[in-house]
């Protein structure tokens, strides 16, 4: 016999199909077909939207033929054919129009790039890229400043004058000031994805004209295609869940023999499968693999999990729209921003989308990257659904309370004193997601700024995670408002959290602890010897102490909780600072 | 078939139902009446397993109300009929039959039979386009797709036109004749009087009275004797009428006492049973 949740899923699909207007269905299908058709084109042209836009009439024997052929925006055509530019011998004819001038500029750039590539093959680099240094000595208050080194590439007309050469970072070897001083890393013009090493200090050669962003732009654009359907799916899913709550429609389901989990699983499955199916189609179209679909599935789970909670919290479709938009923006940023650094930085492993980008660039996906990108996301999704199932009952489903109050209800729904440790551990996936995202956002800042910010952010995230459900428990009468209960609940929460925190060890799989900021997040795991033992045990004491502090405030009032939470954060920051100092 | 013992339901500080107990026998129709906010719906939802009691025990068809297996033996009709408006009546009922593990053939037969009886013809029309009465009939049919032993109906005729109300109340009575145990609440006390074997009157979350209609009347209302006499008797409230004076008395003893005191003749004696509404009002006001 078909499992009952599958029956709910089947009927959900049938209802959805019945409800869908035929014209709307046709529109969706057309949109999908358009995406499918556009994907291969995007795959080949992503990152070079101006590819082949200027036809150039040039004969095969012309020395300009190869520069034109290798240029992105130019396309060689046979002489006599309709073209923007016509090259005859050394003469270039261009119409006096914006298009003509732009095409001529593109031709000039193409020729310069071609010449630079030729020069790159010269064994004598100094001869190929001579550097002229102009020294000017100026007397300033008895001292002399001078030697404002200015690098200039030979091809001075490319705009690499003394200013753009960059802060005097000309290397003595004269291997092209532009490349080494750019800071952004220069990639060879032919290789979009090979630029990653430059940001991490690899030596790049070339000219400023060759400088390209060190990011796999084409793959990122394609990876974005995986996110679009998720944003559409959560709108439909959220509406379906909220529809159960409007006028108590879902009450009849609650008196069937189905459990709440079966109902939720049945309602969610079609949307999850639709997301996975679309991801598989997109993967097929753009040339990503199974692991990409797997990673996007975890992300789809988180999108749906958050939307499920939002639909349970929202009091109207208007409120749901606000919440789902927030989810869309937040999770899209969470997935997309770290993935930008796929070829550049291990921090990219935070996002499941990194797996997609990695596969699209043709690189193998390591197990560590896969685990770090998927596990926190998938676990966070499961906890979202768990919290939602807890309040998927008559008493909560049909009441009109503000979303924050509903969130408190969800946290408190099945909380008991004994379960405080479990709740503490279950908060870890969210903490992991939030902390890794904080690292991803802050790592671009100078260490002097990012480290203090991160110390504060980590402490705040963890203290809120450990204590918010305790506050909910006291507010909803699930925990007795006594100091003894608060202390026990806080200790249990802290210990549970500390145990769960060891999940952070998985970040070692991608070398995150080797980063300065990564070490702040996973310090105990990064240490060794007796210090490691101390750092392994100290968190238990810290988390128990700070959680108990917050719990003592939470058992009194909201204001007391906020005050105690602030104190706990300060204690935590002090601890983090001590750890960082010790490790340093 | 159904027993409630010491049922208490609290919502935070609010006590919705306080220590209620009653039993309903097989095939009995049990009515729950009371003013708004008396705790009727909360009581019925607890019977249906929708709400978990704060304390006390509820057993339905031999199962604890919290046991999911109990739901196989229960048909629930909420006060409103919120249905999936994008489904047709037939597909909606098939959906629920499917969830109750009713095979397709049996489900189709059962659905057709119920809808025939309820005279609902437009079974392929989207529910969103149906009238309130039609939706109510579909909701009633849904409560029967699993052929339950116990039916818990909250205001089954709420908001319906008189004709549909009559059909629904009549059908509820038929269900009892078919051996179903029915518990239902109603504001309209004539419906309760028409169908129920026994009733419970609730007020402020408590059952203030329960029993058969006669027992309830005896306890809270009873018979009123209207005596018309040609003379007035000192010490009695009397209303002047065409023939003389009318006295309203509560018992035959009072009638005899009046006769003894009367300096004249008794022209007419009429008896009138208290209606449930009278009883309800006296209990509610008390």
């Amino acid at each position: 016999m078909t499992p009952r949740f599958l029956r709910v899923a089947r009927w959900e699909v049938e209802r959805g199909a019945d409800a869908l207007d035929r014209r709307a269905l046709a529109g969706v299908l057309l949109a999908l077909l358009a995406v499918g058709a556009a994907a291969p084109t995007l795959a080949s042209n992503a990152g070079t939207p101006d590819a082949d836009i200027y036809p150039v009439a040039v004969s095969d024997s012309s020395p300009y033929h190869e520069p034109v052929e290798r240029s992105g925006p130019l396309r060689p055509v046979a002489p006599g054919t309709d073209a923007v530019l016509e090259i005859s011998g050394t003469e270039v004819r261009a119409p006096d129009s914006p298009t003509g001038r732009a095409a001529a500029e593109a031709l000039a750039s193409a020729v310069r790039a071609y010449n630079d590539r030729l020069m790159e093959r010269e064994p004598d680099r100094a001869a190929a890229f001579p550097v002229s240094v102009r020294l000017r000595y100026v007397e300033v208050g008895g001292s002399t400043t001078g030697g404002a080194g200015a690098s200039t590439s030979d091809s001075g007309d490319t705009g690499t004058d003394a200013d753009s050469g960059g802060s005097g970072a000309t290397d003595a070897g004269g291997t092209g000031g532009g490349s080494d001083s750019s800071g952004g890393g220069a990639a060879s013009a032919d290789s979009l994805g090979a630029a990653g090493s430059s940001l991490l200090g690899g030596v790049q050669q070339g000219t400023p004209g060759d400088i390209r962003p060190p990011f796999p732009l084409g793959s990122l654009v394609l990876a974005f295609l995986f996110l679009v359907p998720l944003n559409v799916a959560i709108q439909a899913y959220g509406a379906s869940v909220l529809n159960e709550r409007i006028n108590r429609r879902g009450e009849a389901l609650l008196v069937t023999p189905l459990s709440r989990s079966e109902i939720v699983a049945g309602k969610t499955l079609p949307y999850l499968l639709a997301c996975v199916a679309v991801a598989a189609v997109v993967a097929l179209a753009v040339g990503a693999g199974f692991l990409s679909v797997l990673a996007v599935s975890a992300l789809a789970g988180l999108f749906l999990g958050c939307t499920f909670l939002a639909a349970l919290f929202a009091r109207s479709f208007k409120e749901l729209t606000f919440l789902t938009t927030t989810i869309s923006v937040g999770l899209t940023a969470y997935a997309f921003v770290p993935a930008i650094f796929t070829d550049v930085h291990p921090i990219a492993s935070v996002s499941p989308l990194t797996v997609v980008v990695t596969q699209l660039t043709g690189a193998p996906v390591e197990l560590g990257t896969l685990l770090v990108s998927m596990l926190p996301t998938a676990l966070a999704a499961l906890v979202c659904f768990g919290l939602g199932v807890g309040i998927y009952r008559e008493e909560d489903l049909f009441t009109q309370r503000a979303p924050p109050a509903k969130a408190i209800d969800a946290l408190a729904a099945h909380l008991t004193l004994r379960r405080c440790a479990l709740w503490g551990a279950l908060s870890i996936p969210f903490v992991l997601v939030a902390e890794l995202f904080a690292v991803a956002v802050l790592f671009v800042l100078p260490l002097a700024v990012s480290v203090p910010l991160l110390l504060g952010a980590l402490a705040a995230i963890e203290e809120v995670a450990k204590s918010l459900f305790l506050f909910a428990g006291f507010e909803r009468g699930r925990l007795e408002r006594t100091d003894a209960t608060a202390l026990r609940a806080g200790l249990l929460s802290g210990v549970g959290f500390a145990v769960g925190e060891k999940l952070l060890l998985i970040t070692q799989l991608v070398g995150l602890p080797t980063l300065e900021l990564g070490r702040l997040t996973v310090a105990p795991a990064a240490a060794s010897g007796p210090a490691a033992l101390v750092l392994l045990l100290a968190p238990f004491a810290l988390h128990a102490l700070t959680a108990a502090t917050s719990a003592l405030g939470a058992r009194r009032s909201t204001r007391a909780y906020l005050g105690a939470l602030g104190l706990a954060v300060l204690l935590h920051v002090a601890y983090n600072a001590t750890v960082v100092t010790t490790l340093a | 078939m159904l027993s409630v013992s010491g049922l208490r339901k609290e919502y935070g500080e609010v006590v919705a139902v306080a220590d209620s107990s009653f039993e309903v026998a097989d095939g009995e129709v049990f009515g729950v009446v009371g003013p708004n906010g008396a705790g009727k719906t909360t009581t019925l939802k607890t019977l249906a397993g929708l709400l978990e009691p704060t304390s006390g025990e509820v057993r339905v068809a031999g199962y604890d109300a919290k046991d999911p297996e109990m739901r196989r033996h229960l048909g629930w009709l909420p006060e409103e009929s919120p249905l999936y408006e994008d489904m047709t009546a037939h597909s909606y009922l098939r959906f629920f039959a499917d969830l109750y593990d009713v095979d397709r053939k049996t489900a189709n037969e059962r659905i057709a039979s119920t809808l025939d009886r309820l005279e609902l013809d437009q079974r392929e029309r989207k529910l969103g386009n149906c009238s309130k009465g039609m939706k109510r009939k579909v909701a009633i049919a849904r409560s029967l797709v699993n052929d339950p032993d116990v039916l818990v109906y909250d205001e089954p005729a709420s908001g319906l036109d008189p004709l549909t109300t009559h059909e629904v109340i009549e059908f509820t009575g038929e269900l009892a004749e078919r051996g179903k145990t029915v518990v239902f609440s109603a504001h309209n006390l004539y419906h309760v009087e028409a169908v129920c074997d026994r009733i419970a009157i609730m007020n402020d979350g408590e059952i203030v009275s329960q029993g058969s209609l006669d027992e309830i009347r005896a306890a809270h209302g009873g018979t009123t004797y209207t005596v018309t006499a040609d003379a007035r008797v000192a010490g009695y409230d009397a209303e002047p009428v065409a023939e003389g004076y009318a006295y309203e008395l509560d018992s035959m003893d009072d009638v005899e006492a009046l006769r003894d005191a009367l300096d004249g003749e008794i022209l007419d004696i009429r008896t009138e049973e208290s209606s449930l509404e009278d009883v309800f009002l006296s209990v509610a006001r008390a």
Side-chain angles (χ1 to χ4, degrees):
Chain A
M1 185 173 277
T2 316
R4 288 185 298 206
F5 79 94
L6 287 181
R7 283 180 245 168
V8 177
R10 180 164 58 85
W11 283 99
E12 178 76 15
V13 171
E14 290 192 15
R15 275 181 52 206
D18 280 351
L20 205 57
D21 176 60
R22 284 184 185 172
R23 273 180 291 187
L25 188 64
V28 170
L29 284 174
L30 276 176
L32 282 175
L33 283 173
V35 169
T41 313
L42 280 168
S44 58
N45 289 331
T48 54
D50 58 348
D52 297 340
I53 59 171
Y54 303 125
V56 180
V58 56
S59 68
D60 291 350
S61 57
S62 168
Y64 286 101
H65 188 273
E66 193 175 348
V68 169
E69 192 169 39
R70 296 179 70 127
S71 162
L74 304 178
R75 172 167 51 91
V77 296
T81 315
D82 192 22
V84 178
L85 300 179
E86 286 180 30
I87 300 175
S88 173
T90 57
E91 186 185 344
V92 178
R93 279 192 296 278
D96 187 15
S97 66
T99 306
R101 285 191 289 275
E105 179 65 27
L107 178 64
S109 296
V111 171
R112 280 197 299 273
Y114 177 75
N115 289 338
D116 287 340
R117 278 194 292 276
L118 285 181
M119 289 299 104
E120 275 179 12
R121 294 177 198 153
E122 283 294 321
D124 186 349
R125 312 292 293 176
F129 297 102
V131 175
S132 66
V133 177
R134 192 165 52 243
L135 296 177
R136 188 157 56 98
Y137 295 90
V138 180
E139 291 288 336
V140 179
S143 65
T144 301
T145 60
S151 64
T152 308
S153 97
D154 190 38
S155 51
D157 60 351
T158 61
T160 51
D161 58 16
D163 295 330
S164 67
S167 62
T170 316
D171 74 25
T175 56
S179 61
D180 276 351
S181 61
S182 69
S188 102
D190 298 332
S191 166
L192 198 61
S197 59
S198 64
L199 196 76
L200 298 178
V203 176
Q204 293 287 314
Q205 293 176 340
T207 69
D210 293 330
I211 293 174
R212 296 286 174 91
F215 312 121
L217 194 59
S219 303
L220 277 167
V221 171
L222 293 178
F224 197 75
L225 287 178
F226 286 86
L227 291 180
V228 176
L230 302 187
N231 287 284
V232 176
I234 63 168
Q235 298 297 331
Y237 177 61
S240 173
V241 174
L242 185 59
N243 197 37
E244 293 286 319
R245 297 179 52 222
I246 298 291
N247 295 329
R248 298 176 170 267
R249 264 188 204 105
E251 193 176 85
L253 274 182
L254 294 177
V255 290
T256 63
L258 274 74
S259 69
R260 287 181 271 173
S261 306
E262 284 175 314
I263 296 170
V264 173
K267 285 198 72 66
T268 307
L269 192 65
Y271 298 93
L272 183 63
L273 289 181
C275 289
V276 174
V278 173
V281 170
V282 174
L284 208 62
V286 303
F290 169 72
L291 292 180
S292 293
V293 179
L294 197 64
V296 172
S297 302
L299 197 58
L302 188 58
F303 266 80
L304 293 174
C306 291
T307 304
F308 178 56
L309 281 181
L312 293 184
F313 295 168
R315 287 168 292 187
S316 62
F317 280 100
K318 188 177 174 184
E319 208 162 69
L320 178 66
T321 304
F322 173 77
L323 291 173
T324 50
T325 304
T326 308
I327 290 167
S328 277
V329 172
L331 290 184
T332 300
Y334 166 70
F336 197 72
V337 172
I340 291 171
F341 305 105
T342 299
D343 285 347
V344 180
H345 213 276
I347 196 65
S349 305
V350 170
S351 163
L353 214 57
T354 297
V355 174
V356 178
V357 177
T358 305
Q359 285 208 310
L360 288 174
T361 54
V365 178
E366 292 172 7
L367 179 64
T369 303
L370 190 67
L371 286 178
V372 171
S373 64
M374 281 186 59
L375 262 185
T377 308
L379 285 174
L382 286 176
V383 174
C384 280
F385 280 112
L387 285 173
V389 168
I391 55 169
Y392 204 89
R393 56 183 184 177
E394 208 276 345
E395 289 174 63
D396 296 299
L397 211 49
F398 308 118
T399 51
Q400 292 289 313
R401 296 159 66 87
K406 278 285 187 79
I408 295 291
D409 288 344
L411 286 171
H414 292 287
L415 183 68
T416 60
L417 183 58
R418 287 184 178 179
R419 289 180 186 165
C420 285
L422 179 64
W423 257 235
L426 286 177
S427 68
I428 286 296
F430 295 99
V431 170
L432 205 55
V433 166
E435 290 189 346
L436 292 178
F437 189 53
V439 172
V441 169
L442 293 174
F443 98 106
V444 290
L445 298 175
L447 278 178
V449 179
S450 63
V451 167
L453 280 178
L454 193 67
L455 285 177
L458 297 184
I461 290 168
E462 293 183 9
E463 291 311 320
V464 169
K466 281 185 299 184
S467 63
L468 191 60
F469 65 87
L470 297 177
F471 172 71
F474 287 116
E475 283 294 298
R476 295 293 179 263
R478 305 287 303 180
L479 298 174
E480 198 183 348
R481 285 186 183 269
T482 63
D483 283 341
T485 302
L487 277 173
R488 285 175 65 193
L491 291 174
L492 285 169
S493 167
V495 170
F497 184 89
V499 171
E501 196 180 40
K502 297 308 161 201
L503 272 176
L504 289 174
L505 290 172
I506 66 167
T507 56
Q508 288 192 343
L509 293 171
V510 291
L512 211 55
T514 60
L515 305 177
E516 286 297 329
L517 293 182
R519 224 159 57 207
L520 294 181
T521 320
V522 293
S528 60
L533 188 64
V534 172
L535 288 171
L536 194 69
L537 296 177
F540 285 87
L542 168 81
H543 291 311
L545 173 69
T546 53
T549 304
S550 300
L552 283 170
R555 86 117 181 122
R556 285 174 169 77
S557 65
T558 305
R559 189 173 289 182
Y561 167 61
L562 292 174
L565 179 65
L567 178 62
V569 172
L570 287 177
L571 285 170
H572 201 136
V573 169
Y575 169 87
N576 281 353
T578 308
V579 170
V580 171
T581 311
T582 306
L583 286 176
Chain B
M1 181 55 72
L2 190 151
S3 70
V4 175
S5 171
L7 172 64
R8 186 178 182 83
K9 180 63 186 176
E10 298 172 2
Y11 295 104
E13 305 287 313
V14 178
V15 180
V17 178
D19 304 321
S20 296
S21 302
F22 59 88
E23 291 191 355
V24 184
D26 283 3
E28 195 175 21
V29 182
F30 188 79
V32 181
V33 297
N36 289 330
K40 304 186 298 291
T41 298
T42 302
T43 301
L44 297 194
K45 283 185 174 175
T46 313
L47 295 183
L50 282 167
L51 295 176
E52 201 171 317
T54 306
S55 63
E57 189 184 38
V58 178
R59 294 190 72 78
V60 177
Y63 298 92
D64 189 290
K66 285 179 278 189
D67 186 344
E69 196 58 30
M70 179 277 289
R71 300 180 207 150
R72 291 188 180 283
H73 302 271
L74 180 105
W76 162 250
L77 181 73
E79 187 174 353
E80 299 293 328
S81 305
L83 312 174
Y84 297 129
E85 303 205 334
D86 43 22
M87 297 175 93
T88 65
H90 190 260
S91 63
Y92 180 78
L93 295 171
R94 279 278 298 115
F95 168 47
F96 277 91
D98 200 13
L99 299 183
Y100 281 101
D101 301 326
V102 181
D103 66 79
R104 182 183 291 259
K105 183 170 174 287
T106 309
N108 285 337
E109 286 172 3
R110 204 172 279 167
I111 290 166
S113 151
T114 309
L115 294 184
D116 284 346
R117 168 60 192 87
L118 290 168
E119 297 175 4
L120 188 82
D121 299 326
Q122 294 172 317
R123 299 166 194 187
E124 294 306 323
R125 184 195 277 196
K126 289 273 174 73
L127 291 169
N129 299 327
C130 290
S131 68
K132 192 167 183 177
M134 290 165 76
K135 286 180 186 174
R136 199 60 176 161
K137 289 176 179 177
V138 173
I140 289 172
R142 184 195 62 212
S143 73
L144 295 166
V145 288
N146 53 325
D147 192 22
D149 304 316
V150 179
L151 295 162
V152 179
Y153 285 5
D154 190 8
E155 304 279 354
S158 169
L160 301 179
D161 64 71
L163 188 63
T164 314
T165 298
H166 176 73
E167 286 176 14
V168 168
I169 294 299
E170 193 179 62
F171 183 67
T172 308
E174 279 180 31
L175 292 172
E177 287 167 15
R178 281 198 246 159
K180 310 283 185 196
T181 303
V182 184
V183 179
F184 81 95
S185 69
H187 280 303
N188 189 323
L189 302 177
Y190 296 107
H191 300 159
V192 177
E193 281 193 296
V195 180
C196 291
D197 299 315
R198 289 193 307 126
I199 64 165
I201 299 177
M202 294 192 75
N203 198 19
D204 284 338
E206 292 181 13
I207 293 181
V208 291
S209 185
Q210 64 173 307
S212 67
L213 290 174
D214 290 340
E215 287 167 349
I216 296 275
R217 280 198 188 99
H220 299 281
T223 308
T224 303
Y225 299 85
T226 306
V227 178
T228 308
D230 58 2
R232 176 151 196 162
V233 181
Y236 283 84
D237 288 333
E239 189 179 336
V241 292
E243 298 86 357
Y245 296 92
Y247 300 85
E248 283 206 354
L249 304 171
D250 293 334
S251 67
M252 277 307 292
D253 292 343
D254 290 342
V255 173
E256 286 173 9
L258 175 74
R259 188 191 59 196
D260 294 343
L262 182 67
D263 184 17
E265 286 186 15
I266 290 178
L267 305 174
D268 185 33
I269 299 177
R270 291 184 185 182
T271 59
E272 190 179 352
E273 295 290 319
S274 297
S275 69
L276 185 57
E277 190 164 358
D278 296 329
V279 173
F280 173 72
L281 286 174
S282 78
V283 169
R285 283 170 185 158

